[in-house]
C-alpha cells in the first residue's frame, strides 16, 4: 500500500492531515514487521529479495522474536534487543552470569563474565512487556521489557530445562492470570502462576508419552487463541508427537496417533501457530499441521510460504540458525519465528575440519601394557582387521595418573608421573603402517599421582581436616574408602599438565586426544566435605569445565573427544557430573557416551523382545546425543564388550548382545564406535557384517 503524497496531505486541510498521520502511525509497526531476518553464528542478517546484508555481528543469533516495537534476539551472549535494527543493546542485567577463567599462552590469568546458555525465549501474546527465558536450571520472567528479571526457579533440583512459555490462563476461580510453563528433560512439564503462588511449580505431564524413566522431553510450547480461550500445544523432542492441553482436566491430548504407532525417531521443534495451523521445523525441512484435522495432515509440506521451495532451500543451504519470516512471505495472517534451523542442515557439511577427520572411526580400547608385548599387539591387530575396524584407543595417562611414554617436556617430567612406559615411536610406526587411527586417552581429573604430589598440593581437600579429600561409604557399620583420587578441576596447573601431555602426543603422531574423567567427583557419603582450593570467586563446577575445555581447545590442534556417562548422553542434563552435552559441544569435536546397558536400570527399555534392549539403547541414545549437541560434534559411543553380573546381563550377555549395540548405532547416526573391555579381551566381537 502506498502512502499519500506529502503535498496532497498539505492541501487537504488539518482533518485530512490528522487522518493521514494516524494512518501512518498505525501502519509503521506493520512495515517494521514486514522484514525478513535470519541469524547465524556470524550474527544477524536482513534479507531483501533473497539478497543478504549483515546488520549486526556482536553475537551468534539463535532466535528472533518481536515484542511490540522491540526486536528480541536470543544469542550466545544473552538476550539482545533493538527497536530500529541499527542500534542494539543487551537485556542481561539481573540474569545470572558464569565466570570463565582464561589462561593465555604466557600463563597470564583473566576472568570473563559470560551469560549461561539461554534455552528459550517467548513473548506474552498480548503484553509485549512480558517475556520469559531460561538457563538450563532456572526460569526468568520480565514484566518491563527486560529491565528487571524475576527468578522463578525450576521444577527440578538438577539442570535440564528445554522450553518455556508465558500467557494468561484461568486460576482456580476462573480468573485469567499470568501463567508460565516450563519443560524439563527429566521432570516433564510444569506450570506456575507467580502472582498466585510464587513458590510452587505444578506438574502437568499427564497424557504425555513416557520414556524409560519418566516423561519424554518436550521441545517447544506454543498457544493458539480461539475466541477468548487460549489453547496450549506442545511437541516432544525425539518422537515428534504433538499434544493439545486440556487445561480444565490438566491433561494433554495426543494429536497425531499415526506417528505414535510408527515409533520412528524424528526431531520436531520451533512451533508456530497461525490460523489453526501449526508450523515448525523437522529434520530436513519445515512442516505444517492443520489443528482442525491433525491426523490427516501431520508433517506435510504444503506451500506454507510464498516461494516455499526457494525459502526452504535458502534457509537450508545458508547454515542459518534462526529466521523471522514476515507476513508478506506467508500465505496466512502472521509472522513465523523459526529457530533450531540446524535441523535443516546437512550433518556432513560442517565447517569444522576436525569433524571430517574423526568421523567413521571404529576401534577398540587397549590397556597400555598390552601394547608393549608383541603377541598382544598382534592379537589386537587381528581383532581390528577381522572386525573391519580402523582405530585404537590407548592409555597415555591412566587412572593412576601414570604417563605411559617417555616425555621430553620438563614441565611434564617434574610431576614424577612417567612410569611403565612403552616405546611410543615403535607403536606409532606400526599403527600408521596399518592405517590405524590413534587416539590417546588421557584421564584428566582422577589422578592419584597428582593427588599425592608435593603433599597434596593439587588435591581436592577435605574442608573439615584440610587434608586431601577421599570419598567413602559405610558398609556394615564400617567406613570403606572409595579408591578414587581427585585433582582440583579448578586448578590451572592441573589444566596445563594435561594439555602439555596432549600437545606432545599430537606432535609425536597421535591423531586425536580423548579426555576421560572430565568431571568432578560424584561418589561418597562425604561428598559435601570436598573443597576446591583453586576455585575463584564466582566460579562453579560448570565454569571450571568450560574454562578447562576452552583452554584445551585453544592449544590442541587435533580432534578432541570426551567420555561422558550414558545418562548424560540420554538426557539434556549435567546432573551429578556437570557433563551437559549442549555445553560441551561448544568446545570439543567428538562426544563418546557410555551407553552400557549394564549401567542403566535393568528395566530400562527392557520390554519384549527383551533381547533387543542393547539395540534400543544404542539406537535411541546415539540419536538423542547427536540432537542435543545440535549436530555440532561426532557422536561415537563406547560399546560394552564386557560382562557385569547384573540381572539382565546374566540372562542375555553374549556376542549377540554386543553385536546388537553396533547394529543400533549403525541404524541410527552411524558415525563410529569404540569397544571397551578393561582387560583388552575381545572374544565377544562378531566380525563386522555378520548377522544375528
Amino acid at each position: 500500500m502506498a502512502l499519500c503524497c506529502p503535498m496532497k496531505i498539505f492541501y487537504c486541510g488539518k482533518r485530512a492531515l490528522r487522518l493521514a498521520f494516524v494512518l501512518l502511525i498505525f501502519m509503521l509497526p506493520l512495515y517494521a514487521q514486514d522484514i525478513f531476518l535470519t541469524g547465524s553464528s556470524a550474527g544477524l542478517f536482513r534479507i531483501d529479495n533473497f539478497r543478504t546484508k549483515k546488520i549486526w555481528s556482536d553475537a551468534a543469533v539463535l532466535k528472533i522474536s518481536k515484542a511490540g516495537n522491540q526486536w528480541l534476539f536470543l544469542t550466545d551472549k544473552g538476550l539482545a534487543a533493538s527497536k530500529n535494527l541499527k542500534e542494539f543493546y543487551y537485556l542481561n542485567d539481573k540474569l545470572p552470569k558464569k565466570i570463565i577463567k582464561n589462561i593465555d599462552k604466557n600463563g597470564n590469568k583473566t576472568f570473563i563474565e559470560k551469560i549461561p546458555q539461554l534455552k528459550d525465549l517467548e513473548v506474552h501474546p498480548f503484553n509485549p512487556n512480558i517475556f520469559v527465558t531460561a538457563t538450563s536450571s532456572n526460569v526468568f520472567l520480565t514484566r518491563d521489557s527486560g529491565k528487571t528479571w524475576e527468578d522463578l526457579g525450576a521444577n527440578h533440583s538438577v539442570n535440564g530445562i528445554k522450553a518455556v512459555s508465558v500467557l494468561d490462563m484461568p486460576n482456580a476461580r476462573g480468573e485469567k492470570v499470568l501463567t508460565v510453563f516450563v519443560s524439563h528433560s527429566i521432570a516433564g512439564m510444569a506450570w506456575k502462576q507467580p502472582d498466585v503462588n510464587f513458590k510452587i511449580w505444578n506438574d502437568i505431564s499427564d497424557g504425555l508419552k513416557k520414556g524409560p524413566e519418566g516423561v519424554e522431553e518436550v521441545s517447544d510450547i506454543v498457544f493458539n487463541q480461539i475466541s477468548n480461550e487460549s489453547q496450549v500445544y506442545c511437541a516432544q523432542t525425539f518422537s515428534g508427537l504433538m499434544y493439545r492441553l486440556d487445561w480444565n482436566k490438566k491433561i494433554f491430548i495426543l494429536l497425531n496417533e499415526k506417528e505414535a504407532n510408527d515409533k520412528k525417531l524424528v526431531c520436531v521443534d520451533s512451533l508456530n501457530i497461525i490460523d489453526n495451523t501449526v508450523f515448525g521445523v523437522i529434520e530436513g525441512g519445515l512442516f505444517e499441521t492443520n489443528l482442525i484435522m491433525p491426523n490427516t495432515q501431520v508433517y506435510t509440506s504444503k506451500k506454507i510460504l510464498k516461494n516455499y521451495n526457494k525459502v526452504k532451500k535458502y534457509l537450508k543451504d545458508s547454515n542459518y540458525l534462526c529466521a523471522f519470516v514476515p507476513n508478506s512471505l506467508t500465505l496466512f495472517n502472521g509472522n513465523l519465528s523459526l529457530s533450531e534451523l540446524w535441523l535443516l542442515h546437512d550433518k556432513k557439511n560442517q565447517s569444522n575440519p576436525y569433524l571430517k577427520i574423526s568421523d567413521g572411526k571404529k576401534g577398540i580400547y587397549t590397556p597400555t601394557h598390552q601394547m608393549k608385548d608383541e603377541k598382544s599387539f598382534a592379537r589386537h591387530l587381528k581383532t581390528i582387521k577381522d572386525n573391519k575396524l580402523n582405530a585404537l584407543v590407548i592409555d597415555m595417562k591412566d587412572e593412576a595418573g601414570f604417563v605411559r611414554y617417555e616425555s621430553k617436556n620438563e614441565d611434564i617430567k617434574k610431576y614424577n608421573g612417567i612410569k611403565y612406559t612403552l616405546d611410543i615411536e615403535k607403536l606409532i610406526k606400526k599403527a600408521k603402517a596399518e592405517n590405524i587411527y590413534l587416539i590417546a586417552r588421557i584421564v584428566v581429573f582422577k589422578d592419584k599421582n597428582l593427588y599425592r604430589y608435593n603433599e597434596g598440593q593439587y588435591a581436592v581437600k577435605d574442608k573439615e581436616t584440610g587434608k586431601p579429600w577421599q570419598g567413602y561409604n559405610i558398609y556394615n557399620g564400617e567406613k570403606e574408602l572409595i579408591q578414587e583420587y581427585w585433582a582440583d578441576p579448578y586448578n590451572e596447573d592441573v589444566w596445563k599438565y594435561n594439555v602439555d601431555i596432549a600437545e606432545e602426543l599430537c606432535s609425536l603422531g597421535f591423531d586425536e586426544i580423548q579426555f576421560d574423567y572430565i568431571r568432578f567427583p560424584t561418589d561418597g557419603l562425604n561428598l559435601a566435605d570436598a573443597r576446591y582450593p583453586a576455585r575463584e570467586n564466582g566460579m562453579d563446577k560448570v565454569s571450571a569445565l568450560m574454562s578447562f575445555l576452552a583452554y584445551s581447545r585453544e592449544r590442541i590442534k587435533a580432534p578432541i573427544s570426551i567420555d561422558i556417562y550414558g545418562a548424560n548422553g540420554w538426557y539434556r542434563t549435567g546432573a551429578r557430573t556437570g557433563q551437559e552435552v549442549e555445553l560441551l559441544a561448544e568446545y570439543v569435536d567428538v562426544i563418546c557416551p557410555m551407553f552400557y546397558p549394564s549401567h542403566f536400570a535393568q528395566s530400562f527399555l527392557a520390554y519384549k523382545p527383551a533381547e533387543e534392549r542393547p539395540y534400543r539403547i544404542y539406537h535411541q541414545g546415539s540419536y538423542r546425543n547427536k540432537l542435543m549437541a545440535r549436530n555440532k560434534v561426532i557422536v561415537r559411543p563406547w560399546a560394552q564388550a564386557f560382562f557385569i553380573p547384573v540381572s539382565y546381563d546374566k540372562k542375555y550377555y553374549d556376542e549377540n548382545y554386543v553385536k546388537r549395540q553396533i547394529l543400533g548405532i549403525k541404524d541410527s547416526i552411524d558415525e563410529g564406535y569404540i569397544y571397551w573391555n578393561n582387560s583388552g579381551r575381545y572374544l565377544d566381537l562378531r566380525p563386522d557384517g555378520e548377522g544375528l
Side-chain angles (χ1 to χ4, degrees):
M1 180 185 297
L3 296 178
C4 295
C5 171
M7 291 299 293
K8 289 185 179 180
I9 294 176
F10 180 81
Y11 288 112
C12 283
K14 292 182 179 180
R15 183 176 178 183
L17 182 60
R18 285 197 299 268
L19 177 61
F21 181 75
V22 169
L23 285 172
L24 179 61
I25 294 300
F26 175 76
M27 291 167 60
L28 276 176
L30 297 180
Y31 279 96
Q33 289 191 6
D34 194 27
I35 298 173
F36 187 7
L37 297 176
T38 58
S40 77
S41 58
L44 182 69
F45 301 83
R46 182 166 180 163
I47 315 300
D48 292 311
N49 295 320
F50 296 96
R51 295 178 180 176
T52 305
K53 179 183 179 182
K54 183 184 286 188
I55 58 177
W56 188 62
S57 58
D58 191 60
V61 179
L62 310 175
K63 186 172 184 176
I64 305 169
S65 296
K66 199 71 169 60
N69 66 346
Q70 184 173 228
W71 292 95
L72 299 177
F73 308 99
L74 195 68
T75 81
D76 65 344
K77 293 184 178 180
L79 189 59
S82 177
K83 293 184 178 179
N84 56 14
L85 298 179
K86 294 179 181 178
E87 291 85 26
F88 294 82
Y89 45 93
Y90 286 98
L91 304 175
N92 293 331
D93 286 351
K94 309 302 181 183
L95 287 177
K97 297 174 177 62
K98 294 286 185 190
I99 303 299
I100 307 302
K101 181 161 45 176
N102 179 62
I103 310 296
D104 66 19
K105 294 179 180 179
N106 298 318
N108 299 315
K109 180 167 56 177
T110 56
F111 295 93
I112 301 170
E113 199 173 69
K114 184 178 177 67
I115 298 293
Q117 185 183 61
L118 298 180
K119 301 292 183 175
D120 198 7
L121 166 68
E122 292 294 341
V123 180
H124 191 286
F126 305 116
N127 188 339
N129 294 318
I130 297 175
F131 38 96
V132 286
T133 189
T135 63
S136 63
S137 56
N138 292 76
V139 180
F140 295 89
L141 168 71
T142 181
R143 305 172 194 244
D144 55 10
S145 295
K147 295 182 180 68
T148 60
W149 294 92
E150 302 169 42
D151 185 349
L152 301 184
N155 59 325
H156 201 279
S157 58
V158 302
N159 58 2
I161 291 174
K162 173 62 174 77
V164 289
S165 191
V166 60
L167 62 155
D168 295 333
M169 298 294 286
N171 61 11
R173 297 189 298 274
E175 304 162 336
K176 286 193 173 183
V177 297
L178 188 71
T179 306
V180 179
F181 291 89
V182 62
S183 77
H184 189 280
S185 179
I186 60 178
M189 271 188 63
W191 60 277
K192 174 184 281 191
Q193 293 179 333
D195 295 333
V196 177
N197 189 328
F198 189 84
K199 295 182 179 180
I200 301 298
W201 282 101
N202 306 275
D203 180 76
I204 193 163
S205 299
D206 287 352
L208 296 174
K209 177 188 174 184
K210 300 293 194 298
E213 296 180 309
V215 178
E216 273 291 4
E217 179 185 276
V218 166
S219 62
D220 205 7
I221 310 162
V222 291
F223 85 100
N224 188 34
Q225 191 69 21
I226 298 180
S227 298
N228 197 36
E229 180 186 357
S230 295
Q231 294 185 338
V232 175
Y233 292 82
C234 70
Q236 288 184 304
T237 309
F238 306 109
S239 66
L241 298 183
M242 295 182 58
Y243 303 84
R244 176 180 60 82
L245 173 62
D246 185 328
W247 178 251
N248 292 326
K249 296 180 180 179
K250 301 296 188 291
I251 189 171
F252 283 94
I253 311 301
L254 179 64
L255 296 179
N256 49 336
E257 294 181 13
K258 179 179 180 296
E259 276 66 29
N261 294 330
D262 287 345
K263 294 183 179 179
K264 292 181 180 179
L265 295 175
V266 57
C267 185
V268 166
D269 211 322
S270 186
L271 304 182
N272 293 252
I273 295 181
I274 306 173
D275 294 345
N276 288 320
T277 302
V278 60
F279 305 102
V281 181
I282 192 170
E283 271 187 286
L286 308 173
F287 75 90
E288 69 171 78
T289 298
N290 187 307
L291 295 175
I292 307 300
M293 299 180 292
N295 279 312
T296 63
Q297 298 188 41
V298 172
Y299 304 150
T300 57
S301 291
K302 299 188 329 184
K303 292 187 176 180
I304 62 175
L305 304 171
K306 298 174 184 177
N307 300 314
Y308 173 77
N309 291 329
K310 190 172 183 179
V311 171
K312 177 184 172 183
K313 186 176 187 303
Y314 185 78
L315 295 177
K316 184 175 182 178
D317 294 347
S318 302
N319 283 332
Y320 291 122
L321 301 176
C322 62
F324 183 89
V325 184
N327 181 62
S328 62
L329 284 177
T330 72
L331 296 175
F332 295 84
N333 184 30
N335 307 304
L336 296 176
S337 176
L338 300 173
S339 57
E340 312 294 352
L341 291 183
W342 54 270
L343 282 165
L344 277 63
H345 303 162
D346 184 352
K347 295 178 185 178
K348 302 298 182 183
N349 183 23
Q350 299 282 358
S351 58
N352 180 358
Y354 295 143
L355 299 188
K356 184 175 291 186
I357 295 171
S358 53
D359 191 11
K361 300 302 181 284
K362 302 175 291 183
I364 57 174
Y365 160 81
T366 57
T368 313
H369 70 272
Q370 294 182 9
M371 290 292 95
K372 298 172 69 174
D373 180 76
E374 293 286 346
K375 290 183 179 180
S376 293
F377 185 89
R379 185 177 73 250
H380 288 310
L381 185 59
K382 185 176 187 304
T383 298
I384 289 173
K385 289 181 176 180
D386 288 349
N387 290 274
K388 299 180 182 178
L389 307 178
N390 57 16
L392 191 61
V393 178
I394 310 172
D395 285 333
M396 287 291 101
K397 175 171 169 279
D398 61 23
E399 294 176 29
F402 296 149
V403 177
R404 304 302 297 272
Y405 71 99
E406 291 294 342
S407 174
K408 297 178 181 178
N409 185 328
E410 295 299 326
D411 286 342
I412 296 172
K413 292 163 69 174
K414 71 181 181 183
Y415 292 107
N416 302 317
I418 300 172
K419 294 183 180 180
Y420 313 115
T421 60
L422 53 74
D423 187 336
I424 193 169
E425 291 184 3
K426 184 178 179 181
L427 167 72
I428 292 172
K429 185 177 180 179
K430 280 186 176 182
K432 295 302 181 182
E434 300 292 341
N435 292 318
I436 294 174
Y437 183 83
L438 281 177
I439 303 171
R441 178 175 178 255
I442 297 175
V443 177
V444 183
F445 298 125
K446 183 181 175 183
D447 188 327
K448 189 175 183 179
N449 177 68
L450 209 57
Y451 173 93
R452 291 177 168 178
Y453 178 78
N454 197 22
E455 299 182 344
Q457 177 181 348
Y458 296 113
V460 174
K461 295 298 196 304
D462 190 306
K463 68 180 182 182
E464 297 296 328
T465 66
K467 297 179 179 179
W469 176 89
Q470 189 174 4
Y472 66 79
N473 289 314
I474 303 293
Y475 293 104
N476 299 321
E478 297 291 329
K479 181 187 293 187
E480 184 173 303
L481 292 175
I482 299 170
Q483 298 304 308
E484 293 185 351
Y485 305 86
W486 291 88
D488 187 349
Y490 290 97
N491 194 299
E492 57 260 33
D493 288 342
V494 175
W495 303 354
K496 183 179 184 303
Y497 178 50
N498 284 280
V499 174
D500 280 348
I501 294 169
E503 281 192 303
E504 188 171 34
L505 290 169
C506 289
S507 69
L508 290 169
F510 274 86
D511 299 294
E512 178 178 312
I513 299 300
Q514 182 178 92
F515 289 136
D516 200 358
Y517 288 88
I518 173 74
R519 62 176 178 85
F520 282 71
T522 58
D523 300 308
L525 295 176
N526 59 334
L527 196 59
D529 293 334
R531 182 175 66 85
Y532 303 94
R535 180 173 179 255
E536 310 276 0
N537 288 337
M539 291 188 73
D540 59 14
K541 292 179 180 179
V542 175
S543 299
L545 296 186
M546 291 171 67
S547 300
F548 169 71
L549 287 173
Y551 174 75
S552 302
R553 176 76 285 169
E554 183 70 23
R555 290 185 54 187
I556 298 172
K557 307 306 178 186
I560 298 174
S561 57
I562 53 170
D563 300 334
I564 67 170
Y565 279 177
N568 295 123
W570 192 277
Y571 299 111
R572 195 185 306 270
T573 174
R576 295 182 66 231
T577 64
Q579 294 176 337
E580 191 175 341
V581 164
E582 286 182 297
L583 168 67
L584 301 177
E586 299 293 329
Y587 302 97
V588 302
D589 310 294
V590 184
I591 292 180
C592 304
M594 296 176 281
F595 288 131
Y596 306 144
S598 64
H599 286 42
F600 285 90
Q602 297 302 284
S603 60
F604 191 91
L605 294 182
Y607 56 83
K608 294 182 180 179
E611 59 267 25
E612 291 295 329
R613 177 173 177 257
Y615 175 92
R616 296 177 193 130
I617 290 175
Y618 277 84
H619 184 253
Q620 296 180 35
S622 301
Y623 180 81
R624 295 168 73 104
N625 200 149
K626 183 74 173 178
L627 292 179
M628 286 191 295
R630 290 183 165 89
N631 290 339
K632 293 179 180 179
V633 299
I634 297 297
V635 175
R636 185 199 298 145
W638 284 101
Q640 180 182 340
F642 59 88
F643 171 75
I644 286 185
V646 292
S647 60
Y648 181 88
D649 289 25
K650 284 180 180 179
K651 187 173 182 180
Y652 292 107
Y653 184 85
D654 59 13
E655 60 183 13
N656 289 335
Y657 177 111
V658 179
K659 185 64 178 179
R660 284 187 173 98
Q661 300 173 67
I662 304 308
L663 292 177
I665 295 168
K666 288 187 172 184
D667 289 346
S668 183
I669 59 172
D670 195 19
E671 294 180 338
Y673 52 87
I674 303 289
Y675 292 104
W676 174 271
N677 185 292
N678 191 54
S679 62
R681 175 193 175 277
Y682 291 108
L683 301 179
D684 301 323
L685 273 58
R686 302 186 80 163
D688 196 18
E690 285 192 10
L692 296 177

